[in-house]
């Protein structure tokens, strides 16, 4: 009897592995994205590149790589490639979101440049239609980390890191910080928080229906 049980368990495991092999996904793969995301991706990719990415690349085929992220409750987001800004640079992406209301929206993100006192009015935050945002599945957050510098004759760099969470109806900024590195890869110093800040409202641009 014991050998029969072992054989049955082995057969079940083999069937699960075979099913994963047939679908190209691991046996413990996450649940599929909402069914409506397929139509949303088709709409996004059908947009002119100029409209979708804010720029055009004549002579190049429209990029089609995309990632669908299940936000829960019927909501999802789509990160879609645009062409790289520079030779060899990874493509920046556009972000679209669709909540339970079924309305597909274009979501710009925003860079935290630094304290308001350092810049002309409004330049402490810099909205952008495209970004280098990625999905942190463990934290369930979108993360955009950007390093600038060193400038000519300098060794220091600055890294800005912004995070957003889906709050059930929109993407809300979770945090934004800027740190300085004396040399590339050196320990971070001089951390400045851009969000959350008492008395301020979320600077993230509102999503726009498409």
């Amino acid at each position: 009897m014991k050998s029969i049980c072992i054989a049955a368990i082995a057969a079940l495991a083999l069937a699960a592995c075979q099913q994963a092999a047939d679908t190209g996904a691991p046996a413990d793969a996450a649940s599929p994205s909402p069914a409506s995301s397929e139509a949303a991706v088709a709409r996004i990719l059908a947009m002119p590149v100029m409209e979708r990415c804010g720029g055009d690349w004549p002579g190049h085929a429209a990029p089609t790589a995309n990632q669908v992220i299940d936000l829960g409750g019927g909501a999802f987001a789509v990160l879609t490639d645009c062409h790289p800004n520079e030779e060899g640079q990874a493509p920046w992406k556009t972000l679209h979101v669709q909540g339970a209301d079924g309305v597909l929206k274009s979501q710009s993100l925003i860079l935290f440049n630094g304290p308001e006192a350092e810049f002309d009015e409004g330049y402490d935050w810099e909205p952008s239609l495209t970004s280098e945002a990625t999905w942190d599945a463990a934290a369930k957050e979108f993360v955009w980390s950007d390093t600038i510098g060193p400038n000519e004759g300098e060794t220091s760099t600055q890294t800005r890191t912004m995070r957003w969470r889906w709050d059930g109806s929109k993407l809300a900024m979770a945090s934004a910080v800027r740190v300085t590195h004396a040399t590339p890869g050196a320990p971070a110093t001089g951390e400045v928080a851009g969000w959350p800040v008492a008395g301020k409202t979320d600077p993230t641009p509102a999503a726009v229906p498409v």
Side-chain angles (χ1 to χ4, degrees):
M1 180 65 72
K2 182 177 181 181
S3 61
I4 293 174
C5 292
I6 292 173
I9 293 170
L12 289 171
L14 178 60
C17 291
Q18 183 61 52
Q19 182 181 10
D22 291 342
T23 60
D28 60 348
S31 58
S33 299
S36 55
S37 65
E38 188 173 330
V41 170
R43 282 187 60 193
I44 295 167
L45 296 182
M47 295 177 186
V49 175
M50 176 66 79
E51 178 183 338
R52 171 167 38 115
C53 298
D56 205 355
W57 292 262
H60 292 270
T64 59
N66 62 85
Q67 178 187 6
V68 177
I69 297 120
D70 190 346
L71 299 174
F76 61 88
V78 184
L79 286 169
T80 314
D81 276 12
C82 291
H83 286 290
N85 290 338
E86 299 176 5
E87 192 68 30
Q89 183 186 42
W92 282 39
K93 302 174 186 293
T94 53
L95 177 61
H96 289 78
V97 294
Q98 182 169 310
D101 59 2
V103 179
L104 182 63
K105 299 177 181 179
S106 173
Q107 176 66 67
S108 293
L109 295 181
I110 192 165
L111 276 164
F112 173 55
N113 287 316
E116 187 175 349
E118 291 183 8
F119 302 99
D120 295 333
E121 185 177 353
Y123 192 69
D124 49 329
W125 293 101
E126 185 178 356
S128 179
L129 177 63
T130 58
S131 73
E132 297 173 288
T134 59
W135 174 246
D136 182 340
K140 297 189 180 304
E141 294 176 343
F142 287 96
V143 184
W144 185 5
S145 189
D146 175 75
T147 298
I148 54 175
N151 296 323
E152 186 175 353
E154 299 178 353
T155 61
S156 64
T157 62
Q158 290 185 338
T159 299
R160 294 119 12 126
T161 302
M162 293 68 57
R163 289 179 170 269
W164 293 265
R165 295 191 191 106
W166 180 252
D167 71 357
S169 62
K170 67 181 187 304
L171 279 183
M173 180 167 274
S175 65
V177 296
R178 188 191 72 183
V179 297
T180 300
H181 305 270
T183 57
T189 60
E191 180 174 313
V192 178
W195 186 260
V197 175
K200 299 284 187 178
T201 57
D202 187 345
T204 306
V208 179
V210 298

